[in-house]
PDB file of all heavy atoms in Angstrom:
ATOM      1  N   LEU Q   5      11.731  17.033  33.562  1.00  0.00           N
ATOM      2  CA  LEU Q   5      12.884  16.162  33.429  1.00  0.00           C
ATOM      3  C   LEU Q   5      13.845  16.396  34.587  1.00  0.00           C
ATOM      4  O   LEU Q   5      13.995  17.517  35.064  1.00  0.00           O
ATOM      5  CB  LEU Q   5      13.605  16.408  32.114  1.00  0.00           C
ATOM      6  CG  LEU Q   5      12.775  16.291  30.832  1.00  0.00           C
ATOM      7  CD1 LEU Q   5      13.680  16.493  29.616  1.00  0.00           C
ATOM      8  CD2 LEU Q   5      12.041  14.991  30.757  1.00  0.00           C
ATOM      9  N   SER Q   6      14.515  15.318  34.989  1.00  0.00           N
ATOM     10  CA  SER Q   6      15.544  15.406  36.015  1.00  0.00           C
ATOM     11  C   SER Q   6      16.823  14.775  35.501  1.00  0.00           C
ATOM     12  O   SER Q   6      16.791  13.859  34.668  1.00  0.00           O
ATOM     13  CB  SER Q   6      15.107  14.672  37.289  1.00  0.00           C
ATOM     14  OG  SER Q   6      13.944  15.238  37.831  1.00  0.00           O
ATOM     15  N   CYS Q   7      17.936  15.259  35.990  1.00  0.00           N
ATOM     16  CA  CYS Q   7      19.247  14.701  35.671  1.00  0.00           C
ATOM     17  C   CYS Q   7      20.029  14.597  36.964  1.00  0.00           C
ATOM     18  O   CYS Q   7      20.438  15.619  37.525  1.00  0.00           O
ATOM     19  CB  CYS Q   7      19.970  15.572  34.654  1.00  0.00           C
ATOM     20  SG  CYS Q   7      21.693  15.100  34.360  1.00  0.00           S
ATOM     21  N   ALA Q   8      20.224  13.370  37.424  1.00  0.00           N
ATOM     22  CA  ALA Q   8      20.987  13.139  38.642  1.00  0.00           C
ATOM     23  C   ALA Q   8      22.456  12.953  38.292  1.00  0.00           C
ATOM     24  O   ALA Q   8      22.800  12.096  37.474  1.00  0.00           O
ATOM     25  CB  ALA Q   8      20.448  11.908  39.362  1.00  0.00           C
ATOM     26  N   ALA Q   9      23.311  13.754  38.903  1.00  0.00           N
ATOM     27  CA  ALA Q   9      24.729  13.747  38.582  1.00  0.00           C
ATOM     28  C   ALA Q   9      25.545  13.148  39.718  1.00  0.00           C
ATOM     29  O   ALA Q   9      25.257  13.371  40.898  1.00  0.00           O
ATOM     30  CB  ALA Q   9      25.213  15.172  38.304  1.00  0.00           C
ATOM     31  N   SER Q  10      26.574  12.399  39.351  1.00  0.00           N
ATOM     32  CA  SER Q  10      27.531  11.879  40.314  1.00  0.00           C
ATOM     33  C   SER Q  10      28.908  11.862  39.673  1.00  0.00           C
ATOM     34  O   SER Q  10      29.029  11.833  38.437  1.00  0.00           O
ATOM     35  CB  SER Q  10      27.133  10.480  40.793  1.00  0.00           C
ATOM     36  OG  SER Q  10      27.083   9.581  39.714  1.00  0.00           O
ATOM     37  N   GLY Q  11      29.938  11.910  40.501  1.00  0.00           N
ATOM     38  CA  GLY Q  11      31.298  11.878  39.988  1.00  0.00           C
ATOM     39  C   GLY Q  11      31.825  13.224  39.529  1.00  0.00           C
ATOM     40  O   GLY Q  11      32.930  13.293  38.973  1.00  0.00           O
ATOM     41  N   ILE Q  12      31.024  14.284  39.720  1.00  0.00           N
ATOM     42  CA  ILE Q  12      31.473  15.639  39.404  1.00  0.00           C
ATOM     43  C   ILE Q  12      31.184  16.534  40.604  1.00  0.00           C
ATOM     44  O   ILE Q  12      30.363  16.187  41.448  1.00  0.00           O
ATOM     45  CB  ILE Q  12      30.769  16.220  38.155  1.00  0.00           C
ATOM     46  CG1 ILE Q  12      29.242  16.265  38.356  1.00  0.00           C
ATOM     47  CG2 ILE Q  12      31.140  15.443  36.906  1.00  0.00           C
ATOM     48  CD1 ILE Q  12      28.494  16.975  37.233  1.00  0.00           C
ATOM     49  N   ILE Q  13      31.882  17.671  40.648  1.00  0.00           N
ATOM     50  CA  ILE Q  13      31.558  18.671  41.680  1.00  0.00           C
ATOM     51  C   ILE Q  13      30.443  19.523  41.090  1.00  0.00           C
ATOM     52  O   ILE Q  13      30.686  20.536  40.411  1.00  0.00           O
ATOM     53  CB  ILE Q  13      32.788  19.511  42.048  1.00  0.00           C
ATOM     54  CG1 ILE Q  13      33.948  18.581  42.421  1.00  0.00           C
ATOM     55  CG2 ILE Q  13      32.446  20.428  43.216  1.00  0.00           C
ATOM     56  CD1 ILE Q  13      35.251  19.314  42.677  1.00  0.00           C
ATOM     57  N   PHE Q  14      29.227  19.087  41.334  1.00  0.00           N
ATOM     58  CA  PHE Q  14      28.063  19.625  40.638  1.00  0.00           C
ATOM     59  C   PHE Q  14      27.940  21.133  40.812  1.00  0.00           C
ATOM     60  O   PHE Q  14      27.628  21.853  39.861  1.00  0.00           O
ATOM     61  CB  PHE Q  14      26.808  18.921  41.159  1.00  0.00           C
ATOM     62  CG  PHE Q  14      25.543  19.294  40.440  1.00  0.00           C
ATOM     63  CD1 PHE Q  14      25.241  18.738  39.207  1.00  0.00           C
ATOM     64  CD2 PHE Q  14      24.656  20.211  40.994  1.00  0.00           C
ATOM     65  CE1 PHE Q  14      24.067  19.072  38.540  1.00  0.00           C
ATOM     66  CE2 PHE Q  14      23.483  20.554  40.344  1.00  0.00           C
ATOM     67  CZ  PHE Q  14      23.195  19.982  39.107  1.00  0.00           C
ATOM     68  N   SER Q  15      28.199  21.618  42.013  1.00  0.00           N
ATOM     69  CA  SER Q  15      27.920  23.027  42.311  1.00  0.00           C
ATOM     70  C   SER Q  15      28.775  23.995  41.510  1.00  0.00           C
ATOM     71  O   SER Q  15      28.399  25.166  41.344  1.00  0.00           O
ATOM     72  CB  SER Q  15      28.107  23.290  43.804  1.00  0.00           C
ATOM     73  OG  SER Q  15      29.443  23.026  44.186  1.00  0.00           O
ATOM     74  N   ILE Q  16      29.918  23.544  40.993  1.00  0.00           N
ATOM     75  CA  ILE Q  16      30.796  24.444  40.236  1.00  0.00           C
ATOM     76  C   ILE Q  16      30.838  24.064  38.755  1.00  0.00           C
ATOM     77  O   ILE Q  16      31.749  24.472  38.026  1.00  0.00           O
ATOM     78  CB  ILE Q  16      32.220  24.505  40.820  1.00  0.00           C
ATOM     79  CG1 ILE Q  16      32.871  23.115  40.826  1.00  0.00           C
ATOM     80  CG2 ILE Q  16      32.198  25.084  42.224  1.00  0.00           C
ATOM     81  CD1 ILE Q  16      34.351  23.169  41.215  1.00  0.00           C
ATOM     82  N   THR Q  17      29.865  23.286  38.335  1.00  0.00           N
ATOM     83  CA  THR Q  17      29.825  22.794  36.956  1.00  0.00           C
ATOM     84  C   THR Q  17      28.664  23.433  36.204  1.00  0.00           C
ATOM     85  O   THR Q  17      27.535  23.474  36.706  1.00  0.00           O
ATOM     86  CB  THR Q  17      29.663  21.264  36.940  1.00  0.00           C
ATOM     87  OG1 THR Q  17      30.770  20.666  37.620  1.00  0.00           O
ATOM     88  CG2 THR Q  17      29.609  20.731  35.522  1.00  0.00           C
ATOM     89  N   ASP Q  18      28.932  23.912  35.001  1.00  0.00           N
ATOM     90  CA  ASP Q  18      27.866  24.396  34.135  1.00  0.00           C
ATOM     91  C   ASP Q  18      27.093  23.196  33.591  1.00  0.00           C
ATOM     92  O   ASP Q  18      27.676  22.153  33.281  1.00  0.00           O
ATOM     93  CB  ASP Q  18      28.428  25.191  32.964  1.00  0.00           C
ATOM     94  CG  ASP Q  18      29.142  26.457  33.417  1.00  0.00           C
ATOM     95  OD1 ASP Q  18      28.835  26.967  34.509  1.00  0.00           O
ATOM     96  OD2 ASP Q  18      30.018  26.932  32.654  1.00  0.00           O
ATOM     97  N   MET Q  19      25.782  23.356  33.461  1.00  0.00           N
ATOM     98  CA  MET Q  19      24.930  22.251  33.036  1.00  0.00           C
ATOM     99  C   MET Q  19      24.010  22.701  31.908  1.00  0.00           C
ATOM    100  O   MET Q  19      23.700  23.891  31.763  1.00  0.00           O
ATOM    101  CB  MET Q  19      24.077  21.747  34.204  1.00  0.00           C
ATOM    102  CG  MET Q  19      24.847  21.258  35.411  1.00  0.00           C
ATOM    103  SD  MET Q  19      25.831  19.777  35.087  1.00  0.00           S
ATOM    104  CE  MET Q  19      24.537  18.584  34.705  1.00  0.00           C
ATOM    105  N   GLY Q  20      23.542  21.731  31.146  1.00  0.00           N
ATOM    106  CA  GLY Q  20      22.630  22.072  30.068  1.00  0.00           C
ATOM    107  C   GLY Q  20      21.743  20.912  29.667  1.00  0.00           C
ATOM    108  O   GLY Q  20      22.058  19.745  29.935  1.00  0.00           O
ATOM    109  N   TRP Q  21      20.627  21.260  29.051  1.00  0.00           N
ATOM    110  CA  TRP Q  21      19.733  20.289  28.437  1.00  0.00           C
ATOM    111  C   TRP Q  21      19.811  20.467  26.923  1.00  0.00           C
ATOM    112  O   TRP Q  21      19.705  21.592  26.419  1.00  0.00           O
ATOM    113  CB  TRP Q  21      18.290  20.495  28.892  1.00  0.00           C
ATOM    114  CG  TRP Q  21      18.014  20.044  30.288  1.00  0.00           C
ATOM    115  CD1 TRP Q  21      17.908  20.825  31.408  1.00  0.00           C
ATOM    116  CD2 TRP Q  21      17.789  18.696  30.716  1.00  0.00           C
ATOM    117  NE1 TRP Q  21      17.649  20.048  32.508  1.00  0.00           N
ATOM    118  CE2 TRP Q  21      17.568  18.735  32.108  1.00  0.00           C
ATOM    119  CE3 TRP Q  21      17.754  17.461  30.068  1.00  0.00           C
ATOM    120  CZ2 TRP Q  21      17.307  17.583  32.855  1.00  0.00           C
ATOM    121  CZ3 TRP Q  21      17.499  16.324  30.814  1.00  0.00           C
ATOM    122  CH2 TRP Q  21      17.274  16.394  32.198  1.00  0.00           C
ATOM    123  N   TYR Q  22      19.974  19.367  26.235  1.00  0.00           N
ATOM    124  CA  TYR Q  22      20.001  19.344  24.779  1.00  0.00           C
ATOM    125  C   TYR Q  22      18.908  18.386  24.309  1.00  0.00           C
ATOM    126  O   TYR Q  22      18.418  17.560  25.086  1.00  0.00           O
ATOM    127  CB  TYR Q  22      21.351  18.839  24.267  1.00  0.00           C
ATOM    128  CG  TYR Q  22      22.503  19.789  24.498  1.00  0.00           C
ATOM    129  CD1 TYR Q  22      23.002  20.039  25.775  1.00  0.00           C
ATOM    130  CD2 TYR Q  22      23.102  20.451  23.422  1.00  0.00           C
ATOM    131  CE1 TYR Q  22      24.054  20.908  25.983  1.00  0.00           C
ATOM    132  CE2 TYR Q  22      24.165  21.325  23.619  1.00  0.00           C
ATOM    133  CZ  TYR Q  22      24.631  21.540  24.897  1.00  0.00           C
ATOM    134  OH  TYR Q  22      25.673  22.408  25.099  1.00  0.00           O
ATOM    135  N   ARG Q  23      18.569  18.506  23.040  1.00  0.00           N
ATOM    136  CA  ARG Q  23      17.615  17.549  22.480  1.00  0.00           C
ATOM    137  C   ARG Q  23      17.981  17.230  21.039  1.00  0.00           C
ATOM    138  O   ARG Q  23      18.618  18.032  20.345  1.00  0.00           O
ATOM    139  CB  ARG Q  23      16.177  18.080  22.542  1.00  0.00           C
ATOM    140  CG  ARG Q  23      15.902  19.289  21.679  1.00  0.00           C
ATOM    141  CD  ARG Q  23      14.492  19.820  21.938  1.00  0.00           C
ATOM    142  NE  ARG Q  23      14.191  21.011  21.159  1.00  0.00           N
ATOM    143  CZ  ARG Q  23      13.103  21.749  21.310  1.00  0.00           C
ATOM    144  NH1 ARG Q  23      12.176  21.406  22.227  1.00  0.00           N
ATOM    145  NH2 ARG Q  23      12.897  22.811  20.551  1.00  0.00           N
ATOM    146  N   GLN Q  24      17.568  16.046  20.634  1.00  0.00           N
ATOM    147  CA  GLN Q  24      17.814  15.628  19.251  1.00  0.00           C
ATOM    148  C   GLN Q  24      16.573  14.921  18.732  1.00  0.00           C
ATOM    149  O   GLN Q  24      16.166  13.877  19.267  1.00  0.00           O
ATOM    150  CB  GLN Q  24      19.031  14.700  19.164  1.00  0.00           C
ATOM    151  CG  GLN Q  24      19.432  14.376  17.742  1.00  0.00           C
ATOM    152  CD  GLN Q  24      20.813  13.760  17.658  1.00  0.00           C
ATOM    153  OE1 GLN Q  24      21.346  13.240  18.634  1.00  0.00           O
ATOM    154  NE2 GLN Q  24      21.416  13.829  16.479  1.00  0.00           N
ATOM    155  N   ALA Q  25      15.989  15.514  17.709  1.00  0.00           N
ATOM    156  CA  ALA Q  25      14.837  14.913  17.051  1.00  0.00           C
ATOM    157  C   ALA Q  25      15.320  14.049  15.892  1.00  0.00           C
ATOM    158  O   ALA Q  25      16.431  14.257  15.373  1.00  0.00           O
ATOM    159  CB  ALA Q  25      13.901  16.004  16.543  1.00  0.00           C
ATOM    160  N   PRO Q  26      14.513  13.080  15.469  1.00  0.00           N
ATOM    161  CA  PRO Q  26      14.929  12.213  14.358  1.00  0.00           C
ATOM    162  C   PRO Q  26      15.299  13.025  13.122  1.00  0.00           C
ATOM    163  O   PRO Q  26      14.550  13.914  12.705  1.00  0.00           O
ATOM    164  CB  PRO Q  26      13.676  11.363  14.108  1.00  0.00           C
ATOM    165  CG  PRO Q  26      12.975  11.339  15.414  1.00  0.00           C
ATOM    166  CD  PRO Q  26      13.218  12.681  16.023  1.00  0.00           C
ATOM    167  N   GLY Q  27      16.466  12.732  12.567  1.00  0.00           N
ATOM    168  CA  GLY Q  27      16.906  13.400  11.360  1.00  0.00           C
ATOM    169  C   GLY Q  27      17.433  14.810  11.553  1.00  0.00           C
ATOM    170  O   GLY Q  27      17.735  15.494  10.573  1.00  0.00           O
ATOM    171  N   LYS Q  28      17.540  15.231  12.805  1.00  0.00           N
ATOM    172  CA  LYS Q  28      18.009  16.584  13.076  1.00  0.00           C
ATOM    173  C   LYS Q  28      19.250  16.553  13.953  1.00  0.00           C
ATOM    174  O   LYS Q  28      19.546  15.559  14.621  1.00  0.00           O
ATOM    175  CB  LYS Q  28      16.916  17.411  13.754  1.00  0.00           C
ATOM    176  CG  LYS Q  28      15.705  17.664  12.880  1.00  0.00           C
ATOM    177  CD  LYS Q  28      14.759  18.644  13.529  1.00  0.00           C
ATOM    178  CE  LYS Q  28      13.596  18.978  12.614  1.00  0.00           C
ATOM    179  NZ  LYS Q  28      12.668  19.967  13.242  1.00  0.00           N
ATOM    180  N   GLN Q  29      19.972  17.677  13.951  1.00  0.00           N
ATOM    181  CA  GLN Q  29      21.151  17.776  14.798  1.00  0.00           C
ATOM    182  C   GLN Q  29      20.746  18.025  16.250  1.00  0.00           C
ATOM    183  O   GLN Q  29      19.677  18.585  16.532  1.00  0.00           O
ATOM    184  CB  GLN Q  29      22.044  18.924  14.310  1.00  0.00           C
ATOM    185  CG  GLN Q  29      22.764  18.629  13.015  1.00  0.00           C
ATOM    186  CD  GLN Q  29      23.809  19.678  12.690  1.00  0.00           C
ATOM    187  OE1 GLN Q  29      23.647  20.852  13.017  1.00  0.00           O
ATOM    188  NE2 GLN Q  29      24.895  19.267  12.062  1.00  0.00           N
ATOM    189  N   ARG Q  30      21.612  17.608  17.143  1.00  0.00           N
ATOM    190  CA  ARG Q  30      21.386  17.885  18.554  1.00  0.00           C
ATOM    191  C   ARG Q  30      21.494  19.399  18.783  1.00  0.00           C
ATOM    192  O   ARG Q  30      22.407  20.042  18.265  1.00  0.00           O
ATOM    193  CB  ARG Q  30      22.391  17.141  19.417  1.00  0.00           C
ATOM    194  CG  ARG Q  30      22.080  17.124  20.885  1.00  0.00           C
ATOM    195  CD  ARG Q  30      23.038  16.227  21.648  1.00  0.00           C
ATOM    196  NE  ARG Q  30      22.922  14.826  21.237  1.00  0.00           N
ATOM    197  CZ  ARG Q  30      23.530  13.813  21.868  1.00  0.00           C
ATOM    198  NH1 ARG Q  30      24.280  14.070  22.944  1.00  0.00           N
ATOM    199  NH2 ARG Q  30      23.389  12.583  21.441  1.00  0.00           N
ATOM    200  N   GLU Q  31      20.567  19.950  19.553  1.00  0.00           N
ATOM    201  CA  GLU Q  31      20.585  21.375  19.816  1.00  0.00           C
ATOM    202  C   GLU Q  31      20.499  21.650  21.311  1.00  0.00           C
ATOM    203  O   GLU Q  31      19.893  20.893  22.067  1.00  0.00           O
ATOM    204  CB  GLU Q  31      19.419  22.086  19.101  1.00  0.00           C
ATOM    205  CG  GLU Q  31      18.034  21.709  19.613  1.00  0.00           C
ATOM    206  CD  GLU Q  31      16.924  22.596  19.076  1.00  0.00           C
ATOM    207  OE1 GLU Q  31      17.207  23.640  18.442  1.00  0.00           O
ATOM    208  OE2 GLU Q  31      15.742  22.256  19.303  1.00  0.00           O
ATOM    209  N   LEU Q  32      21.089  22.780  21.703  1.00  0.00           N
ATOM    210  CA  LEU Q  32      20.977  23.237  23.077  1.00  0.00           C
ATOM    211  C   LEU Q  32      19.563  23.764  23.311  1.00  0.00           C
ATOM    212  O   LEU Q  32      19.086  24.618  22.569  1.00  0.00           O
ATOM    213  CB  LEU Q  32      21.998  24.330  23.363  1.00  0.00           C
ATOM    214  CG  LEU Q  32      21.899  25.012  24.722  1.00  0.00           C
ATOM    215  CD1 LEU Q  32      22.217  24.040  25.846  1.00  0.00           C
ATOM    216  CD2 LEU Q  32      22.823  26.225  24.780  1.00  0.00           C
ATOM    217  N   VAL Q  33      18.915  23.268  24.344  1.00  0.00           N
ATOM    218  CA  VAL Q  33      17.580  23.736  24.712  1.00  0.00           C
ATOM    219  C   VAL Q  33      17.685  24.818  25.787  1.00  0.00           C
ATOM    220  O   VAL Q  33      17.088  25.889  25.674  1.00  0.00           O
ATOM    221  CB  VAL Q  33      16.708  22.572  25.223  1.00  0.00           C
ATOM    222  CG1 VAL Q  33      15.359  23.088  25.713  1.00  0.00           C
ATOM    223  CG2 VAL Q  33      16.545  21.513  24.151  1.00  0.00           C
ATOM    224  N   ALA Q  34      18.457  24.522  26.826  1.00  0.00           N
ATOM    225  CA  ALA Q  34      18.605  25.462  27.937  1.00  0.00           C
ATOM    226  C   ALA Q  34      19.898  25.169  28.674  1.00  0.00           C
ATOM    227  O   ALA Q  34      20.313  24.013  28.766  1.00  0.00           O
ATOM    228  CB  ALA Q  34      17.426  25.354  28.900  1.00  0.00           C
ATOM    229  N   GLY Q  35      20.518  26.210  29.176  1.00  0.00           N
ATOM    230  CA  GLY Q  35      21.735  26.060  29.940  1.00  0.00           C
ATOM    231  C   GLY Q  35      21.650  26.826  31.243  1.00  0.00           C
ATOM    232  O   GLY Q  35      20.909  27.815  31.350  1.00  0.00           O
ATOM    233  N   ILE Q  36      22.398  26.368  32.229  1.00  0.00           N
ATOM    234  CA  ILE Q  36      22.470  27.081  33.501  1.00  0.00           C
ATOM    235  C   ILE Q  36      23.908  26.997  33.997  1.00  0.00           C
ATOM    236  O   ILE Q  36      24.510  25.926  34.057  1.00  0.00           O
ATOM    237  CB  ILE Q  36      21.467  26.504  34.531  1.00  0.00           C
ATOM    238  CG1 ILE Q  36      21.486  27.322  35.822  1.00  0.00           C
ATOM    239  CG2 ILE Q  36      21.725  25.027  34.808  1.00  0.00           C
ATOM    240  CD1 ILE Q  36      20.290  27.028  36.739  1.00  0.00           C
ATOM    241  N   SER Q  37      24.460  28.162  34.314  1.00  0.00           N
ATOM    242  CA  SER Q  37      25.840  28.194  34.770  1.00  0.00           C
ATOM    243  C   SER Q  37      25.921  27.772  36.237  1.00  0.00           C
ATOM    244  O   SER Q  37      24.904  27.650  36.926  1.00  0.00           O
ATOM    245  CB  SER Q  37      26.404  29.603  34.601  1.00  0.00           C
ATOM    246  OG  SER Q  37      25.828  30.475  35.553  1.00  0.00           O
ATOM    247  N   SER Q  38      27.142  27.590  36.702  1.00  0.00           N
ATOM    248  CA  SER Q  38      27.327  27.243  38.105  1.00  0.00           C
ATOM    249  C   SER Q  38      26.796  28.356  39.008  1.00  0.00           C
ATOM    250  O   SER Q  38      26.383  28.106  40.139  1.00  0.00           O
ATOM    251  CB  SER Q  38      28.798  26.982  38.395  1.00  0.00           C
ATOM    252  OG  SER Q  38      29.583  28.112  38.038  1.00  0.00           O
ATOM    253  N   GLY Q  39      26.784  29.557  38.490  1.00  0.00           N
ATOM    254  CA  GLY Q  39      26.278  30.695  39.255  1.00  0.00           C
ATOM    255  C   GLY Q  39      24.792  30.925  39.118  1.00  0.00           C
ATOM    256  O   GLY Q  39      24.253  31.858  39.718  1.00  0.00           O
ATOM    257  N   GLY Q  40      24.130  30.102  38.309  1.00  0.00           N
ATOM    258  CA  GLY Q  40      22.684  30.192  38.177  1.00  0.00           C
ATOM    259  C   GLY Q  40      22.180  30.995  37.003  1.00  0.00           C
ATOM    260  O   GLY Q  40      20.971  31.163  36.826  1.00  0.00           O
ATOM    261  N   ARG Q  41      23.079  31.489  36.175  1.00  0.00           N
ATOM    262  CA  ARG Q  41      22.634  32.238  34.993  1.00  0.00           C
ATOM    263  C   ARG Q  41      22.073  31.267  33.957  1.00  0.00           C
ATOM    264  O   ARG Q  41      22.673  30.235  33.697  1.00  0.00           O
ATOM    265  CB  ARG Q  41      23.804  33.024  34.410  1.00  0.00           C
ATOM    266  CG  ARG Q  41      23.434  33.929  33.256  1.00  0.00           C
ATOM    267  CD  ARG Q  41      24.567  34.901  32.963  1.00  0.00           C
ATOM    268  NE  ARG Q  41      25.827  34.202  32.774  1.00  0.00           N
ATOM    269  CZ  ARG Q  41      26.996  34.812  32.745  1.00  0.00           C
ATOM    270  NH1 ARG Q  41      27.064  36.114  32.911  1.00  0.00           N
ATOM    271  NH2 ARG Q  41      28.104  34.111  32.565  1.00  0.00           N
TER     272      ARG Q  41
END
């Protein structure tokens, strides 16, 4: 998966992937900080 970002200062922004299955709550799958953690 790819996520192309615009309108933000991407390099200093924390980012994450979430998912939502039918009938379930949205959950955090993976996160990455601006520093790469």
Side-chain angles (χ1 to χ4, degrees):
L5 304 183
S6 299
C7 172
S10 60
I12 59 173
I13 307 175
F14 185 79
S15 61
I16 59 172
T17 300
D18 296 336
M19 301 294 296
W21 286 101
Y22 290 70
R23 66 186 178 188
Q24 187 166 20
K28 295 188 176 181
Q29 288 190 328
R30 192 173 296 189
E31 66 170 350
L32 174 66
V33 175
I36 184 166
S37 72
S38 57
R41 185 167 53 192

